[in-house]
Amino acid sequence: MTSRDKILNLFRSHPDQYLSGQEISRTLDISRAAVWKQVKALRDLGFEIEAKHSSGYRLLASPDLLLASEIENRLNTRLLGTSVVTYAEIDSTNTELRRLAEAGAVEGTVVVADRQSAGRGRLGRRWESPSGVNLYCSILLRPDIPLHQASQLTFLSAVAVAETLNDVCGLTAKVKWPNDILVGGAKISGLLNEMNAETEQIHFVILGIGVNLNMLTEQFPQELNYRATSALLESGRPVDRLLFLRSLLEKLDLFYNEFLRDGFVPIRRRWESLCNTINAVVEVDMGNLKLSGTVVGLDPDGALRLQLENGTVERILAGDVRPVGE
Ligand code: BT5
């Protein structure tokens, strides 16, 4: 932890209190000059710190910054967030976490970036990742489960994101197979789960999560294939990114522990209740093949169950789903 993070933590553990330069210097074992330098650095980042002669320093307000110490502060999880690494800019949080995982990072490590220069979607697609407005994060899991169950974790993250949008932003979010979260029919969040495994053994799974929180209409590129939105555009209220991230990590932590204990069924039930096309007639585009039918649920391996007109049920492993008539 840097001296800057240590000072922030000290302020946080003494809310509304003045801390003298001498006290800070003694507690953290750094010079008075170093204290002053760090207070100045924090102010430069946007922290409002009052300095009162004879009383000391007091933290008045924090900016909407995603700093590791801010994320860890009051994070109520068992596993996720054991280590949090933040960047002002990175190519992709998934790519960076893969690098860390290969170097031995512990389960629960979280990578967060304010901006991604090469944010990734599925199949080499791009994920728009402007700075200062959204959430881009990746979470490292090392589950002791059979390989064919790894895809279940995508549904776990979809449910966690949808419920967090509901709890924190008051939005009714729906999940769309396989990896989208929609509000009012427009995409607000996308998931990119990646894995490192050999034969039957999973080395690690990376849950990649992008959520549009405070993105404005003009920040979406016009060529976006389908309609996109943000929490601010939907609710009219800006979202505190830190609060959102902490709530999301807490929910994921609960669901992951439940998943390891009770398996996929509770997650599948939640996902099905949040799915926008359950019992609806849809068209599934699988590139070389198009099928129409009624969505009847999820299989344990994450395949979509589609009932065709003749009554048979097809298992869809990959493709784009569109309600008929849209
Ligand atoms: C996804 O892919 O939806 C997965 C997106 C995952 C992003 C996170 S951010 C943190 C982590 N690090 C990464 O590098 N990635 C993950 P897909 O289903 O392929 O959808 C991609 C399509 O969504 C694009 O082709 C666009 O049409 C659209 N799109 C791009 N950026 C968007 C945005 N910010 N909001 C809504 N739609 C977007």
Side-chain angles (χ1 to χ4, degrees), residues 19 25 33 41 45 56 62 67 117 123 162 180 259:
L19 296 172
S25 134
L45 282 170
S62 308
L67 299 176
S117 55
L123 311 165
D180 291 352
F259 170 77

Side-chain angles (χ1 to χ4, degrees), residues 68-88:
S69 61
E70 295 275 86
I71 297 166
E72 286 161 354
N73 174 46
R74 286 176 301 171
L75 182 65
N76 187 9
T77 54
R78 277 173 33 187
L79 184 67
L80 303 201
T82 25
S83 162
V84 179
V85 191
T86 54
Y87 299 90

Side-chain angles (χ1 to χ4, degrees), residues 220-272:
F220 288 99
Q222 280 180 339
E223 71 276 7
L224 217 61
N225 307 348
Y226 38 99
R227 235 157 51 78
T229 191
S230 74
L232 173 61
L233 291 174
E234 294 299 320
S235 70
R237 273 176 288 129
V239 184
D240 179 331
R241 290 191 297 168
L242 260 180
L243 176 73
F244 188 92
L245 175 56
R246 263 195 235 116
S247 309
L248 175 62
L249 291 175
E250 286 168 7
K251 196 154 285 259
L252 279 166
D253 191 74
L254 271 181
F255 286 171
Y256 183 55
N257 283 302
E258 180 193 60
F259 170 77
L260 294 178
R261 198 185 54 230
D262 305 331
F264 186 46
V265 175
I267 294 298
R268 182 170 72 176
R269 286 212 189 101
R270 281 198 193 88
W271 190 90
E272 286 175 347

Side-chain angles (χ1 to χ4, degrees), residues 78-142:
R78 277 173 33 187
L79 184 67
L80 303 201
T82 25
S83 162
V84 179
V85 191
T86 54
Y87 299 90
E89 178 177 326
I90 195 86
D91 47 359
S92 146
T93 55
N94 267 34
T95 312
E96 175 62 10
L97 187 52
R98 179 178 287 272
R99 290 189 275 260
L100 297 178
E102 280 162 2
V106 292
E107 182 171 43
T109 299
V110 177
V111 169
V112 181
D114 187 53
R115 172 176 188 272
Q116 296 185 115
S117 55
R120 294 189 284 117
R122 287 176 304 151
L123 311 165
R125 295 181 195 137
R126 197 183 141 73
W127 187 254
E128 297 300 326
S129 312
S131 69
V133 284
N134 292 338
L135 180 65
Y136 317 111
C137 71
S138 300
I139 297 139
L140 180 65
L141 301 178
R142 296 184 181 274

